[in-house]
Amino acid sequence: AAKASFFIINVADLSFYFVSVFSPRFRSSGSAFARFLERSRSMLRFGARRAFVQPAFRRALWTSAAGQQPFDYDVTIVGGGIIGLATAREILLRSRAAHPNSPLRVLIVEKEGELAQHQSKNNSGVIHAGIYYKPGSKRAKLCVEGMHMMYKYCDDNKIPYNKCGKVIAAVTEDELPRLQNLYERGLANKTPGIRLIGPDEARTLEPHLKCLKAIHSPSTGIVDFSVVAESYAKTVEDMGGVIQTRFEAYDFTRHGSNASDSPGVLITAADGRSVTTQYLITCAGLYSDRIAFKTGGSVTPAIVPFRGEWLVLKPEYNHLVNSLIYPVPDPKYPWLGVHFTKKMDGGVWLGPNAVLSTAREGYSWFHWNLLDLFESLSYSGLQKLIAKDIRTGIGEVYRSIFKAANIKMLQAFVPEMRTEQIQSQRRAGVRALALNADGTLVDDFVFDCSSDWKSVLHVRNAPSPAATASLAIANVITDMASTRFAIGIKPKDSGSALP
C-alpha cells in the first residue's frame, strides 16, 4: 500500500514536470492550466497519503503495540442493514441489563449515506409465517419465532402492519402433490392457522383468483421493513450505540503479533478513516463473502447477485388482489414464480423474476460493475448452476425484457390481468444468492466463526425470511457472541446458538 501511494505521488510529480518542460506556454505560474495541474498534483498527493500512507502507518503502530492502547469500541458491526441493526440492539439490551453502569460500547459502520438501503429496503415487505422451509432448519425455526417477535415489536413500537394473510394457489394438477407436501411442511414447522381450502373458499378470500386448491396462511402479513430498521436504529442510538454512515470498511488488521490469540481488529475505511474494536461481527449482506474472506472466513459460499423485478398494478386495478397470492414453489428454484403482493401503501406488486445482476448493486440492466460481473461469471458455482438448467435462466431474462411474458404467467392465477393494467415503472431488488462451488444453493442461514480470527463472527447467508426473523436472528448472533467473546453477557437460550 505504501509503495502504491508513492507511485501515485511520483506519477503526479512527473506529469507536472513533463507538461511544464515540454509546454513552455504553461510554465508561467500565472497560467490557469498550471494552477490546475498544481491543484491536481496536491489533491493526488493528499489522497494517496490519506488512502494509503496514513492507514499503513497506523497499521504498523497497531500491530506492534498489542495490549498497549485501548480499543475505540468493544463490539463493531459491519453492515447497517436490518440484521446488523437488530444485532446491535440485542447486544445493547443485554449489556445494559447485565452492566447498567458500564454497558458495552457498540458501533455500526455502514458504507451508504443512509441505513438499510439494499436488501432490507428493496424486498416484498412480507412477514412470512414459516411454511416453505425444511423442518428443523434454522430458517424454519427462526422464521416462526421471528414472526411472533416481529408482530409484538410492531405493536410495542406502534409500527403499522397488516396481517392480511396469504393464499398459496395450485393452478395445475401436477402442483397438487407439491401443495400437499407444502401443507405438511407448514404443520411440521408449527405455522399457525394454516388450512387447505378448495377453489370456492379461495374465491371468498380472493374473488379474482382461479385455482384448483390452495393453502390459506392467516398469520402472514406485510410491513415496511425500512420503518422497522429505522426503529431498530433509534433504539440503538437511544441506548448509547454509535452509527457511522459513509464508512466503507475496506481493510482489516488483527491486533498484535500473536494475532490469532489476541482480540482486536483495526478497521480501515476506503477513505482512510479507521477505528479499533475488540470484537467484530460482519453482517454485510451483498458483500458478506468479501468481508468474511478479509476477516479469516472461507472463500465459499460465494455471493452471486440476482436481480428481482416487480411489475406494479395501476391504482385503479388494485382491487384485483386483496392480500397475498403465491404460487406453489418449484423445489429446485423456490424463489422463482410470480407473486401478487399487497403493499402497505395499498399498491400491488407482481413478481419478481430472477436474473443475474450485472452488479452487486445493479437494480436495472443499465447498472454495471465489470469487476462484480467478472467475479460472478468466473465462479465455478454459477457456471455449474447455469449448466444444470440454462433454459430456466433464459426464460427469466426473457420475462425481464418482455412484459407480456409476465402477464401470461399472472393470468394463470388471475385471468383478468391485462398489459394495460400495469404501470410503466418497475421496482427492483438484488438478492444475495449464496452458492457453493458445486453449484448448489445454500438453503439455510449461515453463521460462522474463523478459527484464526477469534474475535470475529460472520453472518454469511441471510436470505428471506431474514427480515421477518431479524429479531430471532439477532438472538442467535448475540448468543454466539456471548459464548465466543468475553463481553460479559449471557446467552438467553443455550439451544439458540445454532451452528
Side-chain angles (χ1 to χ4, degrees):
K3 289 180 180 179
S5 68
F6 292 125
F7 174 76
I8 293 172
I9 292 170
N10 289 332
V11 168
D13 287 340
L14 287 171
S15 300
F16 183 78
Y17 171 77
F18 281 115
V19 171
S20 299
V21 169
F22 294 106
S23 303
R25 64 196 182 96
F26 294 133
R27 288 178 188 169
S28 168
S29 62
S31 163
F33 187 72
R35 291 197 301 273
F36 167 75
L37 282 177
E38 182 61 35
R39 284 197 301 270
S40 299
R41 182 177 69 160
S42 298
M43 289 174 64
L44 280 169
R45 291 174 67 91
F46 173 78
R49 286 197 303 271
R50 180 77 179 275
F52 297 107
V53 178
Q54 292 172 359
F57 182 66
R58 189 172 184 189
R59 281 197 298 272
L61 289 177
W62 169 253
T63 55
S64 65
Q68 296 180 18
Q69 74 271 31
F71 299 100
D72 296 329
Y73 296 94
D74 298 307
V75 178
T76 295
I77 296 169
V78 174
I82 198 166
I83 300 299
L85 291 165
T87 301
R89 170 187 172 276
E90 184 62 27
I91 290 173
L92 283 165
L93 282 171
R94 295 196 206 178
S95 175
R96 287 167 65 88
H99 309 285
N101 296 324
S102 57
L104 293 171
R105 298 165 300 159
V106 177
L107 169 69
I108 299 174
V109 294
E110 165 57 43
K111 77 181 186 67
E112 303 295 350
E114 297 180 27
L115 298 169
Q117 290 300 294
H118 294 293
Q119 293 184 104
S120 302
K121 177 181 179 180
N122 302 300
N123 58 60
S124 63
V126 174
I127 301 175
H128 293 282
I131 300 173
Y132 299 99
Y133 316 113
K134 182 180 178 180
S137 67
K138 291 186 280 290
R139 289 174 85 185
K141 177 184 183 297
L142 297 179
C143 181
V144 176
E145 181 183 332
M147 173 197 63
H148 294 299
M149 296 174 73
M150 181 60 65
Y151 282 131
K152 184 179 186 305
Y153 183 88
C154 290
D155 287 334
D156 292 345
N157 293 275
K158 297 180 172 54
I159 296 174
Y161 64 87
N162 181 359
K163 196 181 285 189
C164 58
K166 176 196 290 184
V167 176
I168 304 172
V171 296
T172 61
E173 291 286 345
D174 64 318
E175 290 179 343
L176 292 176
R178 300 209 309 264
L179 185 76
Q180 181 65 36
N181 291 338
L182 193 64
Y183 174 67
E184 293 171 1
R185 176 172 284 195
L187 292 177
N189 291 339
K190 299 182 180 178
T191 302
I194 59 169
R195 296 183 302 118
L196 279 172
I197 59 175
D200 293 337
E201 187 173 356
R203 276 193 293 273
T204 65
L205 300 168
E206 292 289 350
H208 303 276
L209 172 65
K210 178 184 176 183
C211 70
L212 300 177
K213 202 172 185 179
I215 295 171
H216 180 226
S217 171
S219 56
T220 304
I222 55 175
V223 72
D224 186 340
F225 283 115
S226 295
V227 176
V228 175
E230 289 173 9
S231 177
Y232 290 171
K234 183 179 184 302
T235 305
V236 167
E237 292 183 318
D238 288 347
M239 290 190 292
V242 178
I243 298 173
Q244 286 192 30
T245 56
R246 295 188 173 88
F247 189 109
E248 183 177 354
Y250 180 77
D251 185 59
F252 302 84
T253 305
R254 288 182 288 183
H255 180 246
S257 56
N258 188 13
S260 63
D261 295 325
S262 301
V265 179
L266 169 68
I267 308 169
T268 305
D271 63 3
R273 290 178 293 159
S274 59
V275 296
T276 61
T277 185
Q278 189 169 12
Y279 300 106
L280 176 67
I281 300 173
T282 70
C283 305
L286 286 160
Y287 299 91
S288 61
D289 57 339
R290 292 182 183 175
I291 298 297
F293 182 65
K294 288 182 178 182
T295 51
S298 170
V299 178
T300 57
I303 296 299
V304 178
F306 272 78
R307 184 174 65 254
E309 300 161 329
W310 286 272
L311 302 176
V312 183
L313 270 180
K314 291 179 179 178
E316 57 267 33
Y317 298 105
N318 286 344
H319 67 277
L320 293 175
V321 179
N322 288 338
S323 57
L324 305 168
I325 303 174
Y326 272 44
V328 178
D330 183 337
K332 290 194 301 181
Y333 308 109
W335 73 91
L336 297 184
V338 293
H339 306 66
F340 298 72
T341 306
K342 200 82 171 179
K343 302 296 288 183
M344 285 300 296
D345 62 3
V348 176
W349 289 12
L350 312 168
N353 58 357
V355 296
L356 179 66
S357 179
T358 49
R360 294 207 180 197
E361 298 172 20
Y363 293 99
S364 77
W365 286 107
F366 301 103
H367 294 164
W368 286 69
N369 182 303
L370 293 180
L371 175 62
D372 290 349
L373 185 59
F374 175 79
E375 187 177 50
S376 295
L377 293 175
S378 62
Y379 180 50
S380 62
L382 178 63
Q383 294 168 3
K384 291 173 182 177
L385 178 67
I386 293 172
K388 288 177 185 176
D389 194 352
I390 192 170
R391 183 175 179 179
T392 299
I394 292 173
E396 292 298 302
V397 172
Y398 182 80
R399 285 176 53 207
S400 174
I401 298 171
F402 298 101
K403 187 186 297 185
N406 280 293
I407 300 301
K408 185 176 180 180
M409 293 185 70
L410 293 165
Q411 287 172 336
F413 298 86
V414 180
E416 298 168 54
M417 291 295 306
R418 298 291 183 270
T419 304
E420 58 270 18
Q421 298 167 346
I422 307 299
Q423 296 184 31
S424 57
Q425 185 179 8
R426 295 188 181 194
R427 302 290 188 273
V430 179
R431 172 195 292 265
L433 193 70
L435 277 179
N436 292 313
D438 61 1
T440 57
L441 302 179
V442 180
D443 196 35
D444 208 350
F445 297 138
V446 177
F447 318 112
D448 69 17
C449 306
S450 167
S451 58
D452 292 332
W453 291 51
K454 295 184 178 180
S455 56
V456 182
L457 194 158
H458 306 120
V459 178
R460 293 298 300 263
N461 187 43
S464 177
T468 298
S470 54
L471 293 170
I473 289 173
N475 275 340
V476 170
I477 296 170
T478 306
D479 283 351
M480 292 180 69
S482 68
T483 55
R484 183 175 175 85
F485 305 153
I487 55 177
I489 59 176
K490 295 181 179 180
K492 272 189 177 179
D493 174 10
S494 60
S496 69
L498 299 165

